[in-house]
Amino acid sequence: MSATDPDCIFCRIVNGQIPSRKVYEDDEVLAFHDIHPWAPVHFLMVPKAHIDSLAQVESQHSALLGKMLTLAPRLALQEGCRPYPDGGYRVVVNTGAEGGQEVHHLHVHVMGGPRPWLKG
Ligand code: 5GP
Ligand code: ZN
């Protein structure tokens, strides 16, 4: 793991080389709308530092992961998901090829809004 990978599409979004529709940003985390949404609400949350996937996470990342999971409900409502329990959202971390991961920079999908969805 290194802080940034010049060949990584999400590192390039984090550093502004590729534009994105921003949902949230702080010193450690960026959230932005998925370019190919599966659901009426679909955004991604990424650590600003490059981590390949959930498989590389270590105890030093606990606070970061806790922050991302804690942010997910707040940002989901901010982006238009209806509240629990009638509304809600899906939170997904695809990990590795068989887990369906295509971009190898750790990211949390947050999907919600009225069904049907394109996928899922
Ligand atoms: P994965 O399959 O790795 O879990 O999900 C990667 C997600 O990143 C996909 O849903 C895909 O649509 C999204 N994505 C890929 N490239 C870009 C991009 O350049 N900008 C944005 N906003 N999303 C992207
Ligand atoms: Zn990266």
Side-chain angles (χ1 to χ4, degrees), residues 2-3 5 7 11 19 23 33-35 43 53-55 57-58 62 64 72 76 78-79 87 91-92 96 99 111:
S2 63
D5 176 348
D7 298 324
C11 283
V23 167
H33 291 278
D34 196 291
I35 203 165
F43 62 88
S53 82
L54 198 63
V57 159
E58 297 173 0
S62 297
L64 172 68
Q78 173 189 301
E79 295 307 310
V91 179
V92 172
M111 289 161 278

Side-chain angles (χ1 to χ4, degrees), residues 4-5 8-11 49-51 104-105:
T4 188
D5 176 348
C8 168
I9 196 163
F10 287 174
C11 283
H50 182 93
I51 303 170
H104 289 265
H105 177 131

